[in-house]
Amino acid sequence: MAVLTIVLVVVGLMVAVRAYNKMTMGRCRCTARLDGKVVIVTGANTGIGKEAARDLAARGARVILACRDLQKADQARDDIVASTGNRNVLIRQLDLLSLASVRAFAKGVLQTESRLDVLINNAGAGGLPNQRTPDGLTMGMQANHFGPFLLTCLLLDLLRKTQGSRLIMVSSMAHPYGHFDIDNMDCEKSYNGFYLYCNSKLCNILTAQYIAQKVKGVTANSLHPGVVQTDILRNVKTAWIRNVADRGIGLLFKSAAEGAQTTIHLAVSEEGGRVTGKYFSDLKVTAPGGPANVPGLAEQMWKRSEKYVKLADDERPFRD
């Protein structure tokens, strides 16, 4: 009886969590078209990024899928084209674990595109090992922050030139739980994978905040997509942990299409083009936690990040 009671309680909690998520889940109802507009979505070969790209392609946008794995990106493109009828969906290789790749991608965009209406920094990863990239940066921090940060710096002038452009940073509700040390951003002193992930997601929020402070004419916002059934834990090596997490997330939480709704809202809605420097969850402005509210931290993060990615003078979007 005791075991049966425990099982019933667990099942009841799972049903309650699922029901709560369904009741509070936001869905973008905006019908705006994006014909003639250019959108970049990083990590668009799967999960939230793919579903956001699909929606924006269905609205008529020219969508650039910025992906590391070209084979998966090709499959994603075929799927998006088939489901939307929009053939103006392009693939460009982008490996955030290589700053040279980020620079090459940005150079290609600047050579081929005369405008950039929406940049969605969606790509991210959890469970990456405690290893350094060829750039000498911690893998998790480069994938989630330093790579997207550099990409944003390199494309910010094109965003500035495009009237009504938008920058969207996909962050996480994990951001308040990091032990953020501006002098240990890349774990030079000590390493903790959980706190590194939280810190990287905090940096996503701070990036949007700083751009909102500095740039007029570009809205910059961050968001928590919800706990979503994606393959973000694909790098976790312990199989049983990954399997349990995947099954639990699949039963309890959002699908990728549901998780993409706040991203889509910020990309197409009137609010997304008017509000800037805010953090969103389920389509609503939400107060960020902890360090995201520390005065001056966004500027400190920005200037320190410029040094980590070795930003050249002609790459700096702000020169004051």
Side-chain angles (χ1 to χ4, degrees):
M1 287 295 292
V3 173
L4 178 59
T5 300
I6 293 173
V7 170
L8 290 174
V9 169
V10 170
V11 171
L13 288 173
M14 291 173 66
V15 171
V17 170
R18 180 63 176 171
Y20 174 79
N21 282 330
K22 283 292 186 181
M23 287 188 296
T24 59
M25 188 182 303
R27 181 166 292 277
C28 181
R29 305 292 183 185
C30 178
T31 60
R33 295 285 302 175
L34 298 179
D35 302 279
K37 296 191 175 183
V38 178
V39 177
I40 294 175
V41 186
T42 69
N45 61 291
T46 188
I48 297 169
K50 179 181 175 183
E51 295 307 320
R54 187 196 307 277
D55 183 281
L56 302 178
R59 297 170 187 269
R62 174 180 172 87
V63 181
I64 298 174
L65 311 181
C67 306
R68 180 183 60 83
D69 188 324
L70 293 182
Q71 183 176 357
K72 289 182 179 179
D74 193 53
Q75 295 170 355
R77 179 191 179 277
D78 289 346
D79 183 28
I80 292 170
V81 170
S83 64
T84 65
N86 182 354
R87 302 197 62 83
N88 200 8
V89 179
L90 312 175
I91 299 169
R92 297 288 183 267
Q93 188 165 36
L94 172 66
D95 182 358
L96 293 172
L97 292 179
S98 165
L99 297 183
S101 175
V102 175
R103 287 183 163 95
F105 173 86
K107 181 179 180 180
V109 169
L110 295 175
Q111 289 175 340
T112 60
E113 307 301 325
S114 60
R115 62 185 299 137
L116 178 55
D117 296 271
V118 186
L119 171 58
I120 302 174
N121 280 312
N122 163 80
L128 290 171
N130 180 17
Q131 295 178 8
R132 298 274 165 176
T133 69
D135 300 298
L137 301 171
T138 305
M139 290 182 70
M141 200 67 180
Q142 181 162 340
N144 293 341
H145 169 58
F146 290 126
F149 171 83
L150 176 60
L151 180 63
T152 300
C153 287
L154 299 177
L155 295 180
L156 192 52
D157 278 348
L158 186 57
L159 284 167
R160 281 168 157 165
K161 293 174 184 176
T162 307
Q163 184 176 3
S165 61
R166 309 179 185 196
L167 170 70
I168 300 167
M169 306 292 298
V170 179
S171 180
S172 166
M173 67 182 297
H175 73 271
Y177 303 107
H179 289 180
F180 194 77
D181 179 353
I182 200 72
D183 295 318
N184 190 38
M185 278 184 64
D186 199 38
C187 300
E188 298 95 330
K189 299 176 183 177
S190 61
Y191 179 86
N192 181 303
F194 172 71
Y195 292 130
L196 180 142
Y197 179 80
C198 297
N199 290 343
S200 69
K201 296 289 99 180
L202 171 62
C203 285
N204 297 155
I205 295 175
L206 296 176
T207 297
Q209 288 179 349
Y210 191 65
I211 290 175
Q213 295 169 17
K214 299 285 288 186
V215 181
K216 302 297 183 183
V218 178
T219 61
N221 293 294
S222 58
L223 68 104
H224 168 55
V227 182
V228 181
Q229 186 181 7
T230 70
D231 61 353
I232 191 171
L233 298 177
R234 62 190 177 275
N235 299 294
V236 174
K237 301 303 181 184
T238 306
W240 74 266
I241 294 177
R242 187 174 62 249
N243 289 337
V244 169
D246 285 345
R247 290 178 184 275
I249 288 172
L251 287 171
L252 293 175
F253 300 113
K254 296 179 180 180
S255 67
E258 291 168 339
Q261 294 303 305
T262 302
T263 298
I264 295 166
H265 172 75
L266 289 174
V268 304
S269 70
E270 184 274 335
E271 182 178 39
R274 171 176 51 81
V275 175
T276 189
K278 300 300 182 181
Y279 171 69
F280 283 73
S281 180
D282 282 323
L283 282 68
K284 299 176 183 177
V285 174
T286 305
N293 300 296
V294 175
L297 187 59
E299 182 176 9
Q300 291 181 52
M301 176 283 303
W302 187 280
K303 292 183 176 179
R304 186 59 58 91
S305 296
E306 286 186 339
K307 295 179 180 178
Y308 278 113
V309 302
K310 297 180 172 60
L311 207 64
D313 286 343
D314 62 352
E315 296 174 332
R316 297 178 186 275
F318 311 121
R319 298 176 177 83
D320 54 0

Coordinates of all heavy atoms in Angstrom, one line a residue, residues 243-301:
N243 N 18.6 9.7 -20.1 CA 17.3 9.0 -20.4 C 16.2 9.4 -19.5 O 15.0 9.7 -19.9 CB 17.5 7.5 -20.4 CG 18.4 7.0 -21.6 OD1 18.5 7.7 -22.6 ND2 19.0 5.9 -21.4
V244 N 16.5 9.4 -18.2 CA 15.4 9.8 -17.2 C 15.0 11.2 -17.4 O 13.8 11.6 -17.4 CB 16.0 9.6 -15.7 CG1 15.0 10.3 -14.7 CG2 16.1 8.1 -15.4
A245 N 16.0 12.1 -17.6 CA 15.7 13.5 -17.9 C 14.8 13.7 -19.1 O 13.8 14.4 -19.1 CB 16.9 14.4 -17.9
D246 N 15.2 13.0 -20.2 CA 14.5 13.1 -21.4 C 13.0 12.6 -21.3 O 12.1 13.3 -21.8 CB 15.2 12.4 -22.5 CG 16.4 13.1 -23.1 OD1 16.6 14.3 -22.8 OD2 17.3 12.4 -23.7
R247 N 12.9 11.5 -20.6 CA 11.5 11.0 -20.5 C 10.7 11.8 -19.6 O 9.5 12.1 -19.9 CB 11.6 9.5 -19.9 CG 12.2 8.5 -20.8 CD 12.3 7.1 -20.2 NE 12.9 6.2 -21.1 CZ 12.2 5.5 -22.0 NH1 10.9 5.7 -22.2 NH2 12.9 4.6 -22.8
G248 N 11.3 12.3 -18.5 CA 10.5 13.2 -17.6 C 10.1 14.5 -18.3 O 9.0 15.0 -18.2
I249 N 11.1 15.1 -19.0 CA 10.8 16.4 -19.7 C 9.7 16.1 -20.8 O 8.8 16.9 -20.9 CB 12.1 16.9 -20.3 CG1 13.0 17.5 -19.2 CG2 11.8 18.0 -21.3 CD1 14.4 17.9 -19.7
G250 N 9.8 15.0 -21.5 CA 8.8 14.7 -22.5 C 7.4 14.5 -21.9 O 6.4 14.9 -22.6
L251 N 7.3 14.0 -20.7 CA 6.0 13.8 -20.1 C 5.4 15.0 -19.5 O 4.2 15.3 -19.6 CB 6.1 12.7 -19.0 CG 6.3 11.2 -19.5 CD1 6.6 10.3 -18.3 CD2 5.0 10.8 -20.2
L252 N 6.3 15.8 -19.0 CA 5.8 17.0 -18.1 C 5.8 18.3 -18.8 O 5.0 19.2 -18.5 CB 6.7 17.1 -16.9 CG 6.6 15.9 -15.9 CD1 7.6 16.1 -14.7 CD2 5.2 15.8 -15.3
F253 N 6.7 18.5 -19.7 CA 7.0 19.9 -20.1 C 6.7 20.2 -21.6 O 6.1 19.4 -22.3 CB 8.4 20.3 -19.8 CG 8.7 20.1 -18.3 CD1 9.6 19.2 -17.8 CD2 8.0 20.9 -17.4 CE1 9.8 19.0 -16.4 CE2 8.2 20.8 -16.0 CZ 9.1 19.8 -15.5
K254 N 7.1 21.3 -22.1 CA 6.7 21.8 -23.4 C 7.3 21.0 -24.5 O 8.4 20.5 -24.4 CB 7.1 23.3 -23.5 CG 6.4 24.2 -22.5 CD 6.9 25.6 -22.8 CE 6.2 26.6 -21.8 NZ 6.7 28.0 -22.1
S255 N 6.6 21.0 -25.6 CA 7.2 20.6 -26.9 C 8.1 21.7 -27.4 O 8.0 22.8 -26.9 CB 6.1 20.2 -27.9 OG 5.4 21.4 -28.3
A256 N 8.9 21.4 -28.4 CA 9.7 22.4 -29.0 C 8.9 23.5 -29.6 O 9.3 24.7 -29.5 CB 10.6 21.8 -30.1
A257 N 7.8 23.2 -30.3 CA 6.9 24.2 -30.8 C 6.3 25.1 -29.8 O 6.2 26.4 -29.9 CB 5.8 23.6 -31.7
E258 N 6.0 24.5 -28.6 CA 5.4 25.3 -27.5 C 6.5 26.2 -26.9 O 6.3 27.3 -26.5 CB 4.8 24.4 -26.5 CG 3.6 23.7 -26.9 CD 3.1 22.6 -26.0 OE1 4.0 22.0 -25.3 OE2 1.9 22.2 -26.1
G259 N 7.7 25.6 -26.8 CA 8.8 26.4 -26.2 C 9.3 27.5 -27.1 O 10.0 28.5 -26.6
A260 N 9.0 27.5 -28.4 CA 9.4 28.5 -29.3 C 8.5 29.8 -29.3 O 8.8 30.8 -29.9 CB 9.5 28.0 -30.7
Q261 N 7.4 29.7 -28.6 CA 6.4 30.7 -28.7 C 6.9 32.1 -28.2 O 6.5 33.1 -28.8 CB 5.1 30.3 -27.9 CG 4.4 29.1 -28.5 CD 4.0 29.3 -30.0 OE1 3.3 30.3 -30.3 NE2 4.4 28.4 -30.8
T262 N 7.6 32.2 -27.1 CA 8.1 33.5 -26.7 C 9.1 34.1 -27.6 O 9.1 35.3 -27.9 CB 8.7 33.4 -25.2 OG1 7.7 32.8 -24.4 CG2 9.1 34.7 -24.7
T263 N 10.0 33.2 -28.2 CA 10.9 33.7 -29.2 C 10.1 34.3 -30.4 O 10.5 35.4 -30.9 CB 11.8 32.5 -29.7 OG1 12.6 32.0 -28.6 CG2 12.7 33.0 -30.8
I264 N 9.1 33.6 -30.9 CA 8.3 34.0 -32.0 C 7.6 35.3 -31.6 O 7.6 36.3 -32.4 CB 7.3 33.0 -32.4 CG1 8.0 31.7 -32.9 CG2 6.3 33.5 -33.4 CD1 7.1 30.5 -33.0
H265 N 7.1 35.4 -30.4 CA 6.4 36.6 -30.0 C 7.4 37.8 -30.1 O 7.0 38.9 -30.6 CB 5.9 36.4 -28.6 CG 5.4 37.7 -27.9 ND1 4.2 38.2 -28.2 CD2 5.9 38.5 -27.0 CE1 4.0 39.3 -27.5 NE2 5.0 39.5 -26.7
L266 N 8.6 37.7 -29.6 CA 9.5 38.8 -29.6 C 10.0 39.1 -31.0 O 10.3 40.3 -31.3 CB 10.7 38.5 -28.7 CG 10.5 38.4 -27.2 CD1 11.7 38.0 -26.5 CD2 10.1 39.8 -26.7
A267 N 9.9 38.2 -31.9 CA 10.3 38.4 -33.3 C 9.3 39.1 -34.2 O 9.6 39.8 -35.1 CB 10.7 37.1 -34.0
V268 N 8.0 38.9 -33.8 CA 7.0 39.4 -34.7 C 6.0 40.4 -34.1 O 5.3 41.1 -34.9 CB 6.2 38.2 -35.3 CG1 7.1 37.2 -36.0 CG2 5.3 37.5 -34.3
S269 N 5.8 40.4 -32.8 CA 4.7 41.2 -32.2 C 5.1 42.6 -32.1 O 6.2 43.0 -32.2 CB 4.4 40.7 -30.8 OG 5.5 41.0 -29.9
E270 N 4.0 43.5 -32.0 CA 4.2 44.9 -31.7 C 5.0 45.1 -30.5 O 5.9 46.0 -30.4 CB 2.9 45.6 -31.7 CG 2.9 47.1 -31.6 CD 3.1 47.6 -30.1 OE1 2.7 46.8 -29.2 OE2 3.6 48.7 -29.9
E271 N 4.8 44.4 -29.4 CA 5.5 44.5 -28.2 C 7.0 44.2 -28.4 O 7.8 44.9 -27.8 CB 4.9 43.6 -27.1 CG 5.6 43.7 -25.7 CD 5.0 42.8 -24.7 OE1 4.7 41.7 -25.0 OE2 4.9 43.3 -23.5
G272 N 7.3 43.2 -29.1 CA 8.7 42.9 -29.4 C 9.5 44.0 -30.1 O 10.7 44.0 -30.1
G273 N 8.7 44.8 -30.9 CA 9.4 45.9 -31.6 C 9.4 47.2 -30.8 O 9.9 48.2 -31.2
R274 N 8.7 47.2 -29.6 CA 8.6 48.4 -28.8 C 9.4 48.3 -27.5 O 10.0 49.3 -27.1 CB 7.1 48.7 -28.6 CG 6.8 49.8 -27.6 CD 5.3 50.0 -27.5 NE 4.6 48.8 -27.2 CZ 4.4 48.2 -26.0 NH1 5.0 48.8 -25.0 NH2 3.7 47.1 -25.9
V275 N 9.3 47.2 -26.8 CA 9.9 47.0 -25.5 C 11.3 46.6 -25.7 O 11.6 45.7 -26.6 CB 9.1 46.0 -24.7 CG1 9.8 45.6 -23.4 CG2 7.7 46.4 -24.4
T276 N 12.2 47.1 -24.9 CA 13.6 46.7 -25.0 C 14.3 46.6 -23.7 O 13.9 47.2 -22.7 CB 14.4 47.7 -25.9 OG1 15.7 47.2 -26.2 CG2 14.6 49.0 -25.2
G277 N 15.3 45.7 -23.6 CA 16.1 45.5 -22.3 C 15.3 44.6 -21.3 O 15.7 44.6 -20.1
K278 N 14.3 43.9 -21.7 CA 13.5 43.2 -20.8 C 13.7 41.6 -20.9 O 14.3 41.2 -21.9 CB 12.0 43.5 -21.0 CG 11.7 44.9 -20.8 CD 12.0 45.4 -19.4 CE 11.6 46.9 -19.2 NZ 11.9 47.4 -17.8
Y279 N 13.3 40.9 -19.9 CA 13.4 39.5 -19.8 C 11.9 38.9 -19.9 O 11.1 39.4 -19.1 CB 14.1 39.1 -18.5 CG 14.1 37.6 -18.2 CD1 14.8 36.7 -19.0 CD2 13.4 37.1 -17.1 CE1 14.8 35.3 -18.6 CE2 13.4 35.8 -16.7 CZ 14.1 34.9 -17.5 OH 14.1 33.6 -17.2
F280 N 11.7 38.0 -20.8 CA 10.3 37.5 -21.0 C 10.2 36.0 -20.6 O 11.2 35.3 -20.8 CB 9.9 37.6 -22.5 CG 9.5 39.0 -22.9 CD1 10.5 40.0 -23.0 CD2 8.2 39.3 -23.1 CE1 10.1 41.3 -23.4 CE2 7.8 40.6 -23.5 CZ 8.8 41.6 -23.7
S281 N 9.0 35.6 -20.2 CA 8.7 34.2 -20.0 C 7.2 34.0 -20.3 O 6.4 34.8 -19.9 CB 9.0 33.8 -18.5 OG 8.7 32.4 -18.3
D282 N 6.9 33.0 -21.1 CA 5.5 32.8 -21.5 C 4.9 34.1 -22.1 O 3.8 34.4 -21.7 CB 4.7 32.2 -20.4 CG 4.9 30.7 -20.2 OD1 5.1 30.0 -21.2 OD2 5.0 30.3 -19.1
L283 N 5.7 34.7 -23.0 CA 5.2 35.9 -23.7 C 5.1 37.2 -22.8 O 4.6 38.2 -23.3 CB 3.9 35.7 -24.4 CG 4.0 34.9 -25.8 CD1 4.3 33.4 -25.5 CD2 2.7 35.0 -26.5
K284 N 5.4 37.1 -21.6 CA 5.2 38.2 -20.7 C 6.5 38.7 -20.1 O 7.4 37.9 -19.8 CB 4.3 37.8 -19.5 CG 2.9 37.4 -19.9 CD 2.1 36.9 -18.7 CE 0.7 36.4 -19.2 NZ -0.1 35.9 -18.0
V285 N 6.6 40.0 -19.9 CA 7.8 40.6 -19.2 C 7.8 40.1 -17.8 O 6.8 40.1 -17.1 CB 7.7 42.2 -19.2 CG1 8.8 42.7 -18.4 CG2 7.7 42.7 -20.6
T286 N 9.0 39.6 -17.4 CA 9.2 39.0 -16.1 C 10.4 39.6 -15.4 O 11.4 39.8 -16.1 CB 9.3 37.4 -16.2 OG1 8.2 36.9 -16.9 CG2 9.4 36.8 -14.8
A287 N 10.4 39.8 -14.1 CA 11.6 40.3 -13.5 C 12.7 39.2 -13.5 O 12.4 38.1 -13.0 CB 11.2 40.7 -12.1
P288 N 13.9 39.6 -14.0 CA 15.0 38.6 -13.9 C 15.4 38.5 -12.5 O 15.1 39.3 -11.6 CB 16.0 39.2 -14.8 CG 15.8 40.7 -14.7 CD 14.3 40.8 -14.6
G289 N 16.2 37.4 -12.2 CA 16.6 37.2 -10.8 C 18.0 37.6 -10.5 O 18.8 37.8 -11.4
G290 N 18.2 37.8 -9.2 CA 19.6 38.0 -8.6 C 20.5 38.9 -9.4 O 20.2 40.1 -9.5
P291 N 21.6 38.4 -9.9 CA 22.7 39.2 -10.5 C 22.2 40.1 -11.7 O 22.9 41.1 -12.0 CB 23.8 38.2 -10.9 CG 23.5 37.0 -10.1 CD 22.0 37.0 -9.9
A292 N 21.2 39.6 -12.3 CA 20.7 40.4 -13.5 C 20.2 41.8 -13.1 O 20.0 42.6 -14.0 CB 19.6 39.6 -14.2
N293 N 20.1 42.0 -11.8 CA 19.6 43.3 -11.4 C 20.7 44.2 -10.7 O 20.4 45.3 -10.2 CB 18.5 43.1 -10.3 CG 17.3 42.4 -10.9 OD1 16.6 42.9 -11.8 ND2 17.0 41.2 -10.4
V294 N 21.9 43.7 -10.8 CA 23.0 44.5 -10.2 C 23.4 45.6 -11.1 O 23.8 45.4 -12.3 CB 24.3 43.5 -10.0 CG1 25.5 44.3 -9.5 CG2 23.9 42.4 -9.0
P295 N 23.4 46.9 -10.6 CA 23.7 48.0 -11.5 C 25.2 47.9 -12.0 O 26.1 47.6 -11.2 CB 23.5 49.2 -10.5 CG 22.6 48.7 -9.5 CD 22.9 47.3 -9.3
G296 N 25.3 48.2 -13.3 CA 26.7 48.2 -13.8 C 27.3 46.9 -14.2 O 28.3 46.8 -14.9
L297 N 26.6 45.8 -13.9 CA 27.2 44.5 -14.2 C 27.2 44.2 -15.7 O 28.1 43.6 -16.2 CB 26.4 43.4 -13.4 CG 27.0 42.0 -13.5 CD1 28.5 41.9 -13.0 CD2 26.2 40.9 -12.8
A298 N 26.1 44.7 -16.4 CA 26.1 44.4 -17.8 C 27.3 45.1 -18.5 O 27.9 44.5 -19.4 CB 24.8 45.0 -18.4
E299 N 27.6 46.3 -18.1 CA 28.8 46.9 -18.7 C 30.1 46.2 -18.4 O 30.9 46.0 -19.3 CB 28.8 48.4 -18.3 CG 30.0 49.2 -18.9 CD 30.0 50.6 -18.5 OE1 29.3 51.0 -17.6 OE2 30.8 51.4 -19.1
Q300 N 30.2 45.8 -17.1 CA 31.4 45.0 -16.8 C 31.5 43.7 -17.6 O 32.6 43.4 -18.1 CB 31.4 44.6 -15.3 CG 31.5 45.8 -14.3 CD 31.4 45.4 -12.9 OE1 32.2 44.5 -12.5 NE2 30.6 46.0 -12.1
M301 N 30.4 43.0 -17.7 CA 30.4 41.8 -18.5 C 30.8 42.0 -19.9 O 31.6 41.3 -20.5 CB 29.0 41.2 -18.4 CG 28.8 39.9 -19.3 SD 28.5 40.2 -21.1 CE 27.1 41.3 -21.1

